Amino acid sequence: MNTRKTLYVKDNDLYIGAFKATELAKKFGTPLYVMDAAYIREVSDAFVAAVNKCGRGAVAFANKAFATVATAKLAAAHGLWFDVVSGGELFMVKRAGADMKKVLFHGNNKTPREIDEALDAGIGFFVIDSLNELELLDKKAGERGVRQDVLVRINPGVSAHTFEAVMTAAPFSKFGFDVHGDAFDVIRDIASRDNLNFRGLHAHIGSQIYEASSYEKAIDITVDLAGRLAEAGIVCDILDMGGGYGIYYTDKDPKFTPSAYAATVENVARRVAEKSAERGLAAPFLIVEPGRSIVGEAGVTLYTVGAIKDFPGVKKYVAVDGGMFDNPRYALYESEYSAVIAGKASEPASEVVTVAGKCCESGDLIGKDMPLQHAETGDILAVFSTGAYNYSMASNYNLNAIPPVVLVDGDRADYIVKAQTYDDLLRNNTVPEWLN
Ligand code: LLP
């Protein structure tokens, strides 16, 4: 457990802000996602300060990690920009009142409809990722008489040490233009077009990365391309170095504080400034795009323990009232989490158990071999670091309702996403006339 001022244990109880986790579970029910506003604010402020330390810059929150109107408002109030990857995320940030000029649109296959929606919303930047997009955007911007600001996503070919599904910049990735291949020519083409305003480069090397060296390599390669473009008279005044900063899930991982994260971002900013200077380039406006590191550790999921099955000497299952429908990350990536029994949090973790969900498949686990206090039916289990890619990847598998999300802000706690009802689950079901 990576404790902090708003996540701590007192008298055997886990607290989030001013609340006992067991109190939150009782008031709002389980399963329940709890998000800690104080943590989101603190990390956001630290990142914004860090990115501006060595020049000008912005922090664009990657909505894919956690997309709700309330947290987008919170992020915007702390000066964050937004990275969106779908018409849905665009719609959400619009509803949150975001300044559209501070929104970037990512994606390797933006649909014609999404391109229309983003242009009509007056989005700040498209991050062009394919030739199809280039042509379509050029045409659609021209039809509107708009000169659209664009960045170009490049694949710097850096393999960061993370799991394969989230590696994005290894050779043959589906993302971006190959920096050692067609990137230069594509950018020269874009720079010559009337309806597109080339502003700079984007590179994102993956997610849950701890190694500074991967970022350094990607920066060096990206600045080198900016240098080659400058020699051809094409200015990159923006460099967007993506997100991906790793967070704490278990004791195998480093325990970062917001200021430690900020130091990582500051290193990125310094390297960009230094390498640009070495190349004789003006310091670019630097964008970073963290998702997980802003919201990941802000989130705790609360469950009620139900069935317990012990196969002595082999395995003990502790089943909870959630599962892969609220947290599919074990099923997808065998991700590891840490957890405590919320009302026994100071007791030693005397058992090693497999926490199972309630879905009808064996792979539906929250975690294998997790050290835990002795669990009894009715206990509240708190799983840490679930703020990123849990709610945003939740599903209605087995027609389970996606749990509500409660935001804790000091001594206040309220829903930011309401519980789904059974009616919600069937809201879009229709029965064709001929079946009736
Ligand atoms: N920018 C771009 C272009 C991205 O593709 C991503 C993440 C980010 C920023 C934010 O990365 P972060 O700071 O959150 O690591 N579902 C996976 C993670 C997928 C990440 C996809 N892209 C998981 O649950 O681990």
Side-chain angles (χ1 to χ4, degrees):
M1 180 177 176
N2 191 11
T3 52
R4 55 178 186 261
K5 223 162 58 199
T6 50
L7 184 71
Y8 54 98
V9 175
K10 197 171 80 185
D11 303 332
N12 222 9
D13 266 301
L14 172 72
Y15 280 75
I16 305 165
F19 298 93
K20 279 184 190 168
T22 50
E23 263 172 19
L24 293 169
K26 195 161 168 199
K27 178 160 180 202
F28 297 102
T30 61
L32 180 70
Y33 298 111
V34 183
M35 296 297 285
D36 174 8
Y39 186 79
I40 296 173
R41 287 200 186 94
E42 201 181 333
V43 184
S44 302
D45 290 347
F47 276 13
V48 170
V51 85
N52 284 294
K53 250 297 179 24
C54 305
R56 301 161 308 134
V59 178
F61 174 62
N63 280 289
K64 67 202 77 156
F66 185 80
T68 67
V69 175
T71 46
K73 275 181 182 290
L74 185 69
H78 283 255
L80 300 199
W81 293 26
F82 294 104
D83 136 7
V84 299
V85 292
S86 67
E89 287 187 0
L90 178 74
F91 182 72
M92 189 281 287
V93 296
K94 250 168 63 183
R95 181 157 294 177
D99 175 352
M100 282 298 141
K101 290 287 156 231
K102 298 180 175 173
V103 181
L104 302 113
F105 196 4
H106 279 290
N108 67 305
N109 187 26
K110 302 172 187 77
T111 65
R113 174 182 159 177
E114 287 172 330
I115 292 174
D116 283 333
E117 288 166 352
L119 282 169
D120 292 341
I123 199 165
F125 302 90
F126 276 77
V127 184
I128 295 184
D129 194 299
S130 70
L131 295 175
N132 308 61
E133 178 184 351
L134 194 178
E135 296 301 341
L136 206 54
L137 183 59
D138 186 13
K139 179 166 161 282
K140 286 177 179 291
E143 284 163 6
R144 288 167 172 79
V146 166
R147 187 145 196 264
Q148 177 63 45
D149 279 344
V150 300
L151 304 181
V152 171
R153 180 159 186 169
I154 58 161
N155 177 359
V158 174
S159 290
H161 182 78
T162 185
F163 49 104
E164 193 176 348
V166 299
M167 272 171 38
T168 55
F172 312 117
S173 161
K174 72 169 181 169
F175 296 106
F177 296 97
D178 184 359
V179 78
H180 306 295
D182 56 353
F184 187 93
D185 290 337
V186 170
I187 293 167
R188 200 161 41 188
D189 174 9
I190 291 173
S192 72
R193 301 210 184 197
D194 292 337
N195 309 319
L196 304 177
N197 187 22
F198 174 74
R199 298 294 306 279
L201 305 173
H202 169 273
H204 170 78
I205 55 172
S207 199
Q208 188 58 6
I209 296 166
Y210 299 118
E211 298 163 319
S213 61
S214 302
Y215 286 105
E216 288 165 7
K217 271 188 230 153
I219 290 166
D220 296 358
I221 290 167
T222 307
V223 172
D224 182 63
L225 177 59
R228 284 193 281 137
L229 288 164
E231 284 157 14
I234 299 167
V235 177
C236 296
D237 59 336
I238 301 177
L239 287 193
D240 179 339
M241 293 312 304
Y245 313 115
I247 69 166
Y248 170 88
Y249 283 103
T250 72
D251 285 340
K252 293 178 194 160
D253 306 322
K255 286 186 177 173
F256 286 112
T257 57
S259 53
Y261 277 135
T264 311
V265 175
E266 213 179 299
N267 288 339
V268 168
R270 186 169 312 111
R271 183 91 175 189
V272 168
E274 281 171 8
K275 285 285 153 185
S276 300
E278 263 174 40
R279 225 12 181 111
L281 300 168
F285 184 88
L286 171 67
I287 300 176
V288 292
E289 289 171 347
R292 190 190 311 266
S293 49
I294 292 184
V295 289
E297 292 194 52
V300 177
T301 307
L302 303 179
Y303 302 101
T304 302
V305 172
I308 296 174
K309 274 188 198 164
D310 200 358
F311 301 94
V314 182
K315 201 181 236 332
K316 183 169 179 178
Y317 284 106
V318 171
V320 294
D321 52 357
M324 63 194 289
F325 60 94
D326 66 78
N327 182 358
R329 295 191 69 257
Y330 179 86
L332 283 171
Y333 321 119
E334 295 187 9
S335 302
E336 295 183 58
Y337 286 91
S338 48
V340 298
I341 302 289
K344 302 176 180 172
S346 312
E347 291 172 24
S350 55
E351 301 186 354
V352 174
V353 302
T354 291
V355 176
K358 66 188 285 294
C359 295
C360 286
E361 61 181 83
S362 308
D364 167 35
L365 305 179
I366 300 297
K368 238 187 199 162
D369 302 332
M370 298 170 79
L372 197 65
Q373 294 79 16
H374 176 69
E376 290 160 294
T377 302
D379 279 345
I380 300 301
L381 181 81
V383 179
F384 300 111
S385 301
T386 56
Y389 304 109
N390 278 224
Y391 172 69
S392 65
M393 295 203 297
S395 74
N396 287 125
Y397 185 43
N398 289 174
L399 286 192
N400 283 298
I402 294 175
V405 187
V406 161
L407 187 72
V408 167
D409 197 358
D411 60 0
R412 289 176 295 193
D414 213 338
Y415 288 112
I416 57 170
V417 178
K418 290 189 294 187
Q420 286 185 329
T421 62
Y422 287 151
D423 276 330
D424 290 332
L425 298 179
L426 301 187
R427 178 135 298 141
N428 296 330
N429 278 218
T430 58
V431 180
E433 187 74 9
W434 71 83
L435 282 182
N436 280 321

